[in-house]
Structures are given as structure tokens and as C-alpha cells.
Amino acid sequence: MRTLLAVDGGNSKTDIALVREDGTVVARGRGPGFEPQTVGVAAAVDVVVRTAAQMVGSGPPFADHVAAYLAGADLPEEEVALREEFLRRGVAPSVEVGNDTFALLRAGSTRGWGVAVVCGAGVNAAGIGPDGRVARFPALGRLTGDWGGGQHLGEEVLWHAVRAEDGRGTPTELVSLVRGHFRASSATDVALSVHRGDIPRHHLGELTRPLLTLSDPVALGLVARLAEEICLLGCAILTRLDLLGTPADLILGGGVLTGGATSLMAAVESGYAARAPFARLQVASQPPILGSIHLGLSHLNATPTAHTRATTTLTTTTVA
């Protein structure tokens, strides 16, 4: 029986599953984040190779086919480079690669089409129309117009805290948040520690979750701005796919959106109700790796029963 290595490579973690074509999940593993734009393509793929080798107890090839939805696969040439590296490393004889936003959509939509908006370490959105058309963003951060995501919001929190502390900005509870979280005497000391490398920059993303609980005007302004961006992302994709006036699944995922922050989600729901009333909002409840499994099983021409078996397994078990 043929096998599939499904990969969901996110910024914070990489989930892997070995699945038979009948939908049986043979093994699962988890490795560190998949970050080709930071560490390079070869080092990013090495995360998958090491994790898969630990999972199955041997080296490549690991399966007959690889289906990988990956962070950092934002442009067609990046998808090609990643696919070629998987093939060069002998992970499997055949490989398909896509952006990790599509994993969220494929895992969450029963129709096979719709729109996904993700807000985790970064933000992105993508969609597939009922006619097969695809719409997406380059998602290269501020260079391509992006605003939001845990990392960016953490930097915004620090920015406001430093300015409030030194007199340039509005007084805000964010000063106490920054000082308390990093056990520092001042927000400026935190900024200097980040500059020196004593505090890794990605740790600023840890400020996002407590930010969403504050009622401070500055904090509320950041939350409102994030909700606006989440709505703009989804509505732009719906418009490009001619789905704004059609009932369509809109899946919301990523750690920031699935964290249950009441004020953020209320603002997001209100925004979509006003601009895209036909959109069927769903907060992601299925693990994104399931999207990669569905992608791979479709490549293997697996039966509907296989898809159902994999879904049942992934939604009733967890991986450490």
C-alpha cells in the first residue's frame, strides 16, 4: 500500500504525519518552525528530514509521496525551490508544495473551496473559487502591505510602551505589560536587550496574547486595527474570486485568531457582517496537518473513506 508524508510547516512548529493511502495514520511527529526565508531552504527542509527520521526510525525516502503546505512558500519560485530541495534530499519520489494558508482552508472547508485567513506569527489569506481559480497575497510583511500577526503586534506593543515611557507617546498599560513580561525595569531596557540580541526578537510575539485582554485605549486601538486587517484580507480575496455576494466558507486560523480573545473576535465578526454578510465564518477546529493529508490523499486518488478515516484520527488524537 502506498504511503504519504504530510507536512504542515508553520513558523513556530512543523507537524508531520505518515499516512497510508487507505487513510490510516501510521505515525506523527513535531519539529521546530519551518523558516526558509530566515535560515535558507536547505536548513528548513532539514527540519522535516530530521523530524521524519526520528518519527520512523530510518532515513529517506520516507514515503511514496510528499504533500507539504509550508510557511515561506509565498511565491511560485519559492514553491519550486522547496519542492526541488525535497526531491534532492530523497524524501519521496514525488513532491507537491503549497503555502501553509491553503492547509487551513483544505482542513476547514468541506466544499474544497473558500477563503482562509490566518493570523499567527504573521498574517496571510488565500482562497480557491468553485471554478478552481486561486487568489493569494505575496505575504512578505510590510514590503507587500501586510500589517498584523503575533510578531508584528509584539513590536507594536513595545513601540507604544517605549514612547509612553519616554514622554513621546500616550500613557498606556502597555508599559507595565512589557516590564512585567520581561521582568525589566523599563520598556526601553527591553528594547535595548532586543537590539543587543539578549532577548530574541521573536519573543516579542509573547506580548500579543496579554495585549488582547487589556481595556487600555492604546491596546484597544491595536486590537481594532488587527480586526480591520483580518476583515480586509478576507474581503479582498472574496472580491477577487467573485464570492463577495455568494455563500462561501471563510476559515479563520492561526494562534492569534484561535486563542479565543473576545474583543478581537467580536470586532472581526462585526466587520465581516457589514462587508461580507454571505461569508460563513468558522474558527479553525481541525489541525492544519489535515489539509496536507487531504492534499496528498487526493494525489494518490484515495477513496472518500480514506479521507474520512484520516479526519477521524486527526481530530481525536494529539501529538506532543
Side-chain angles (χ1 to χ4, degrees), residues 130-177:
D131 56 2
R133 283 186 297 150
V134 173
R136 59 193 294 186
F137 294 103
L140 302 178
R142 292 185 66 84
L143 289 173
T144 52
D146 303 333
W147 193 99
Q151 176 72 34
H152 179 80
L153 281 168
E155 293 175 1
E156 288 286 310
V157 169
L158 181 59
W159 186 89
H160 281 285
V162 169
R163 288 174 64 88
E165 192 175 68
D166 66 20
R168 288 178 291 171
T170 304
T172 171
E173 294 176 30
L174 298 180
V175 176
S176 297
L177 170 58

Side-chain angles (χ1 to χ4, degrees), residues 4 12 20 36 76 86 115 117 141 143 150 175 188 236 256 286 315:
L4 154 73
S12 60
R20 290 201 293 257
F86 274 104
V115 175
V117 180
L143 289 173
V175 176
T188 299
V256 176
Q286 308 280 31
T315 54

Side-chain angles (χ1 to χ4, degrees), residues 101-125:
T101 306
F102 289 102
L104 176 64
L105 174 59
R106 192 144 194 157
S109 175
T110 58
R111 295 167 173 253
W113 57 270
V115 175
V117 180
V118 61
C119 184
V123 291
N124 199 1

Side-chain angles (χ1 to χ4, degrees), residues 277-296:
F278 293 99
R280 294 189 292 263
L281 265 61
Q282 304 173 43
V283 176
S285 59
Q286 308 280 31
I289 184 68
L290 184 59
S292 302
I293 292 174
H294 286 320
L295 176 69

Side-chain angles (χ1 to χ4, degrees), residues 10-280:
N11 288 298
S12 60
K13 58 181 171 57
T14 300
D15 281 336
I16 300 176
L18 182 65
V19 184
R20 290 201 293 257
E21 65 180 312
D22 68 353
T24 300
V25 179
V26 178
R28 297 176 67 185
R30 174 169 290 172
F34 192 90
E35 302 177 291
Q37 294 168 345
T38 301
V39 303
V41 168
V45 172
D46 195 50
V47 168
V48 175
V49 174
R50 291 198 314 269
T51 304
Q54 293 169 358
M55 183 178 73
V56 304
S58 64
F62 301 111
D64 296 291
H65 180 67
V66 168
Y69 281 129
L70 306 169
D74 297 312
L75 303 174
E77 56 264 37
E78 291 171 336
E79 292 180 351
V80 170
L82 287 163
R83 178 178 178 274
E84 290 178 349
E85 182 64 17
F86 274 104
L87 290 170
R88 187 186 73 79
R89 300 289 294 274
V91 178
S94 65
V95 177
E96 54 189 331
V97 169
N99 182 266
D100 60 336
T101 306
F102 289 102
L104 176 64
L105 174 59
R106 192 144 194 157
S109 175
T110 58
R111 295 167 173 253
W113 57 270
V115 175
V117 180
V118 61
C119 184
V123 291
N124 199 1
I128 301 173
D131 56 2
R133 283 186 297 150
V134 173
R136 59 193 294 186
F137 294 103
L140 302 178
R142 292 185 66 84
L143 289 173
T144 52
D146 303 333
W147 193 99
Q151 176 72 34
H152 179 80
L153 281 168
E155 293 175 1
E156 288 286 310
V157 169
L158 181 59
W159 186 89
H160 281 285
V162 169
R163 288 174 64 88
E165 192 175 68
D166 66 20
R168 288 178 291 171
T170 304
T172 171
E173 294 176 30
L174 298 180
V175 176
S176 297
L177 170 58
V178 171
R179 291 175 180 174
H181 184 81
F182 290 106
R183 298 181 180 179
S185 59
S186 71
T188 299
D189 284 345
V190 173
L192 293 175
S193 294
V194 173
H195 173 72
R196 296 186 185 113
D198 298 329
I199 296 176
R201 198 177 191 91
H202 69 267
H203 281 309
L204 292 177
E206 297 167 3
L207 297 170
T208 298
R209 190 173 293 275
L211 162 70
L212 299 177
T213 67
L214 297 179
S215 56
D216 175 89
V218 176
L220 291 176
L222 289 174
V223 174
R225 174 70 189 279
L226 178 60
E228 172 74 3
E229 289 294 324
I230 297 301
C231 291
L232 289 172
L233 283 163
C235 288
I237 296 295
L238 287 168
T239 299
R240 287 160 59 182
L241 294 175
D242 299 318
L243 294 176
L244 201 58
T246 302
D249 293 338
L250 197 148
I251 316 298
L252 302 172
V256 176
L257 286 174
T258 60
T262 304
S263 60
L264 173 62
M265 297 313 296
V268 168
E269 291 170 4
S270 176
Y272 276 111
R275 303 177 192 183
F278 293 99
R280 294 189 292 263

